[in-house]
């Protein structure tokens, strides 16, 4: 076969993108290749209002740049044109991933992992459908790895093997959906209480399950306001309480005071048999056990369930999570399924059997000592970022038990998208994860201060006052600095 000419834009892109033995001259330009998405491709749309009355900026409509699936030509099997085209598409996509990973700061994902040793398992369709503790007739599963991971988390949260039930979820949202569902099954007429800073999946659960939901006010830190919580509990003393406790809120990384929540319930006349507590520990639920003087999340306290994400602090190429609850509670939810020869007690039916192996691999490699070192590094780097922002005259806040640095929202949406910052109203945040180095933070800070000098250079526009979000002492606006 005579190879087609190499498109000009592909020349010189072999290094770091294609395999050593990939024949660059075999790339056939039979269809237009997708453009490499760079930091400059940051057009957004606006829809709706945020909590401060400003416009909510949405991302681009992906339909305008989707990769169409087309039927193979009759002679593709012989010419190899389609294989060459798909190889070139994937090569350019990999280049995009490398570029976007370099500028990722706003979302709590640990991108520093290497699972090359597990590549040998990607040829198998591993499915842990059904209960992780009861083997299904489907034999290609990884339950032995999953239960090993669950036992590790059970030890972390201090509950005996015989007293817990759990499973590996597809994400943190599924953990919240399951924990709140168990609470609803234990107390069918219960009211769901959640702070306004809770993850959106908590309020999604309330809508899905048709539950009455009461939102609780928050302190400046983002922590639940137990004074407001008590007022709303006393207004509904006739119904059981189902409470979502945040072990690190989405935007500010605030940790709700679990002991104070329990004390507030007791003082309001709720005995332990009239409330169910679900702890949403998506990110910080795995970090807090390794922080000195941090309060403990433990089943020795009257909690019903805890969930964490596996792809956040641990790091995993696919979203996943862990949900642990008490054995006594799961029996109200589970049903035997003859078709599976197993028990149905999970949200999803089929479940990713590769994810437990990834987590088992990392937990074995790092262990408690490795995680403790990574947590200390994250907290140290988060303090570095907060101090540098304040030194530059930029409003910033860092909660005591958190690696989430909150600061004034950049004026330029292109800058926001370049660094993939999460924003809400007048604030944005950086989540300092194990893959976020001092060098990366310096690059971000240097670019932010340079851009900021142009945003406010003429004095006609002033940096926003975010005292209502971070407190007067952390606000560097003209009024508070």
């Amino acid at each position: 076969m005579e190879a087609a000419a190499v498109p000009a834009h592909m020349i010189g892109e072999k290094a770091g993108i294609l395999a050593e033995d990939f024949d660059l001259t075999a790339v056939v330009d039979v269809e237009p290749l997708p453009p490499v998405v760079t930091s400059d491709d940051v057009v957004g749309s606006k829809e709706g209002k945020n909590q401060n009355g400003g416009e909510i900026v949405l991302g681009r409509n992906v339909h305008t740049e989707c990769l169409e699936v087309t039927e193979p030509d009759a002679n593709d099997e012989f010419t190899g044109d389609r294989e060459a085209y798909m190889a070139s598409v994937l090569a350019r996509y990999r280049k995009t991933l490398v570029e976007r990973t370099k500028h990722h700061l706003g979302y709590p994902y640990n991108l520093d992992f290497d699972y090359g040793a597990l590549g040998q398992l990607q040829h198998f369709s591993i499915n842990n459908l059904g209960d992780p503790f009861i083997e299904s007739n489907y034999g290609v599963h990884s339950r032995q790895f999953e239960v090993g991971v669950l036992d590790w988390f059970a030890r972390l949260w201090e509950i005996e093997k015989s007293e817990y039930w759990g499973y590996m979820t597809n994400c943190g949202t599924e953990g919240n959906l399951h924990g709140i569902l168990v609470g609803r099954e234990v107390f069918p007429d219960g009211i769901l209480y959640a702070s306004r800073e809770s993850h959106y999946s908590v309020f999604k659960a309330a809508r899905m399950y048709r539950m009455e939901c009461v939102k609780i006010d928050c302190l400046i830190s983002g922590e639940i306001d137990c004074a407001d919580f008590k007022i709303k509990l006393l207004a509904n003393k006739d119904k059981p309480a189902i409470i979502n406790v945040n072990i690190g809120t989405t935007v500010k990384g605030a940790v709700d005071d679990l002991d104070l929540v329990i004390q507030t319930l007791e003082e309001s006349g709720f005995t332990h048999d009239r409330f169910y507590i679900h702890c949403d520990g998506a990110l910080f639920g795995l970090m807090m056990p390794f922080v000195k003087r941090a309060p403990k999340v433990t089943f020795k306290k009257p909690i019903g369930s805890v969930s964490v994400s596996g792809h956040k602090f641990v790091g995993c190429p696919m979203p996943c999570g862990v949900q642990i609850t008490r054995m006594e509670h799961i029996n109200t939810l589970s049903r035997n399924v003859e078709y599976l020869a197993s028990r149905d007690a999970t949200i999803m039916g089929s479940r990713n059997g590769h994810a437990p192996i990834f987590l088992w691999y990392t937990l074995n490699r790092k262990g408690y000592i490795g995680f403790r070192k990574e947590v200390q590094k994250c907290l140290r780097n988060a303090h570095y970022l907060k101090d540098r922002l304040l030194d530059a005259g930029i409003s910033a806040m860092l909660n005591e038990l958190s690696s989430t640095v909150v600061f004034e929202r950049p004026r330029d949406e292109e800058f926001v998208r370049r660094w993939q910052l999460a924003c809400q109203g007048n604030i944005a945040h950086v989540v300092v994860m194990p893959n976020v180095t001092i060098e990366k933070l310096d690059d971000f800070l240097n670019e932010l201060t340079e851009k900021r000098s142009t945003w406010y250079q003429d004095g006609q526009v002033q940096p926003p006052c975010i005292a209502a979000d971070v407190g007067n002492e952390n606000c560097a606006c003209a009024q508070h600095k």
Side-chain angles (χ1 to χ4, degrees):
M1 176 184 81
E2 184 175 337
V6 182
H9 62 270
M10 292 294 291
I11 300 297
E13 290 187 2
K14 177 179 177 182
I17 303 171
L18 306 178
E20 290 293 330
D21 57 352
F22 188 90
D23 183 3
L24 197 61
T25 63
V27 176
V28 183
D29 198 8
V30 293
E31 296 183 36
L33 298 180
V36 174
V37 180
T38 67
S39 303
D40 298 326
D41 299 330
V42 288
V43 181
S45 62
K46 296 184 178 181
E47 182 176 311
K49 301 285 186 180
N50 60 33
Q51 62 182 12
N52 294 324
E55 299 285 349
I56 295 177
V57 180
L58 301 182
R60 293 167 301 179
N61 184 344
V62 177
H63 238 131
T64 62
E65 57 185 40
C66 72
L67 297 172
E68 185 180 1
V69 176
T70 58
E71 289 299 307
D73 294 332
N75 63 345
D76 277 347
E77 185 176 346
F78 304 100
T79 64
D81 288 357
R82 179 160 294 263
E83 292 295 327
Y85 163 70
M86 290 191 293
S88 63
V89 168
L90 294 174
R92 291 179 63 79
Y93 176 59
R94 182 183 185 279
K95 186 174 183 180
T96 294
L97 293 179
V98 170
E99 196 279 335
R100 300 310 288 136
T101 297
K102 284 195 303 185
H103 296 94
H104 173 268
L105 283 177
Y107 294 87
Y109 307 132
N110 180 6
L111 306 181
D112 184 16
F113 53 78
D114 181 3
Y115 290 109
L118 304 184
Q120 59 187 313
L121 305 178
Q122 298 307 302
H123 301 287
F124 300 96
S125 178
I126 309 176
N127 191 330
N128 288 3
L129 70 171
D131 190 306
F133 299 95
I134 301 176
E135 191 170 2
S136 164
N137 283 339
Y138 182 71
V140 188
H141 63 78
S142 63
R143 279 176 169 79
Q144 61 272 51
F145 293 92
E146 181 175 12
V147 174
V149 170
L150 295 174
D151 283 349
W152 189 91
F153 280 94
R155 289 194 300 273
L156 188 70
W157 295 324
E158 299 182 316
I159 185 168
E160 296 296 325
K161 290 183 181 182
S162 60
E163 296 178 0
Y164 90 87
W165 183 92
Y167 77 106
M168 279 200 60
T169 62
N170 290 299
C171 59
T173 288
E174 187 181 347
N176 287 340
L177 292 177
H178 192 274
I180 293 170
L181 178 60
V182 173
R184 202 279 309 271
E185 293 298 291
V186 173
F187 297 119
D189 61 338
I191 295 176
L192 175 61
Y193 297 87
S195 81
R196 297 183 185 277
E197 296 272 348
S198 297
H199 191 260
Y200 66 86
S201 62
V202 173
F203 306 110
K204 177 192 290 188
R207 293 194 302 272
M208 288 175 64
Y209 304 147
R210 299 285 196 267
M211 297 174 69
E212 183 180 352
C213 180
V214 175
K215 292 185 178 180
I216 309 301
D217 292 340
C218 294
L219 307 176
I220 285 288
S221 64
E223 180 184 337
I224 189 171
D225 182 350
C226 281
D228 185 56
F229 180 39
K230 187 171 187 177
I231 291 171
K232 289 168 179 172
L233 280 173
L234 292 174
N236 298 282
K237 285 188 67 174
D238 58 324
K239 291 187 177 181
I242 301 166
I243 307 98
N244 178 77
V245 169
N246 295 302
I247 313 302
T249 56
T250 308
V251 177
K252 297 182 180 179
V255 176
D256 292 341
D257 188 331
L258 175 59
D259 293 332
L260 186 56
V261 167
I262 295 170
Q263 179 184 327
T264 302
L265 284 159
E266 293 171 344
E267 289 177 351
S268 302
F270 286 79
T271 53
H272 291 187
D273 60 351
R274 292 191 64 241
F275 67 79
Y276 179 98
I277 296 175
H278 169 69
C279 298
D280 175 11
L283 167 63
F284 215 64
L286 187 49
M287 296 176 68
M288 204 164 78
F290 304 105
V291 177
K292 292 180 180 178
R293 299 182 301 279
K296 293 186 78 171
V297 175
T298 169
F299 279 92
K300 291 182 178 179
K301 299 175 182 179
I303 63 174
S305 53
V306 186
S307 63
V308 295
S309 296
H311 58 289
K312 291 181 179 173
F313 188 72
V314 176
C316 190
M318 73 277 291
C320 60
V322 170
Q323 157 75 351
I324 298 281
T325 187
R326 295 182 186 273
M327 181 69 78
E328 64 189 88
H329 295 325
I330 201 62
N331 292 329
T332 65
L333 183 66
S334 61
R335 302 289 184 274
N336 293 333
V337 180
E338 183 179 7
Y339 170 75
L340 300 178
S342 185
R343 183 170 56 181
D344 175 35
T346 60
I347 296 286
M348 300 300 172
S350 288
R351 296 186 298 107
N352 188 336
H354 289 273
I357 305 173
F358 282 90
L359 288 200
W360 175 89
Y361 184 79
T362 295
L363 295 179
N364 271 288
R365 286 188 67 189
K366 294 183 178 179
Y368 290 120
I369 295 176
F371 284 122
R372 183 174 292 109
K373 289 180 179 178
E374 290 195 337
V375 168
Q376 291 170 352
K377 172 190 170 186
C378 290
L379 297 180
R380 186 168 58 248
N381 289 353
H383 278 276
Y384 172 83
L385 173 60
K386 187 258 300 183
D387 292 342
R388 284 285 312 272
L389 286 167
L390 291 174
D391 289 344
I394 302 173
S395 304
M397 179 185 80
L398 173 64
N399 275 311
E400 182 183 3
L401 299 173
S402 178
S403 65
T404 300
V405 181
V406 180
F407 59 100
E408 68 180 51
R409 181 175 186 157
R411 283 183 57 81
D412 188 350
E413 289 302 322
E414 290 190 7
F415 180 85
V416 168
R417 293 184 186 277
R418 169 174 165 79
W419 287 98
Q420 300 162 68
L421 302 177
C423 301
Q424 180 175 288
N426 287 326
I427 57 175
H429 75 202
V430 164
V431 185
V432 180
M433 301 298 287
N435 63 292
V436 177
T437 62
I438 292 293
E439 291 73 24
K440 188 171 187 175
L441 293 176
D442 283 340
D443 289 343
F444 167 73
L445 287 159
N446 293 337
E447 189 173 327
L448 175 60
T449 52
E450 181 182 346
K451 292 277 188 182
R452 197 170 179 272
S453 65
T454 64
W455 299 336
Y456 305 115
Q457 63 181 348
D458 56 10
Q460 295 183 358
V461 179
Q462 294 293 324
C465 173
I466 61 171
D469 295 298
V470 301
N472 294 348
E473 68 278 12
N474 296 310
C475 185
C477 74
Q479 179 182 349
H480 293 106
K481 67 180 179 182

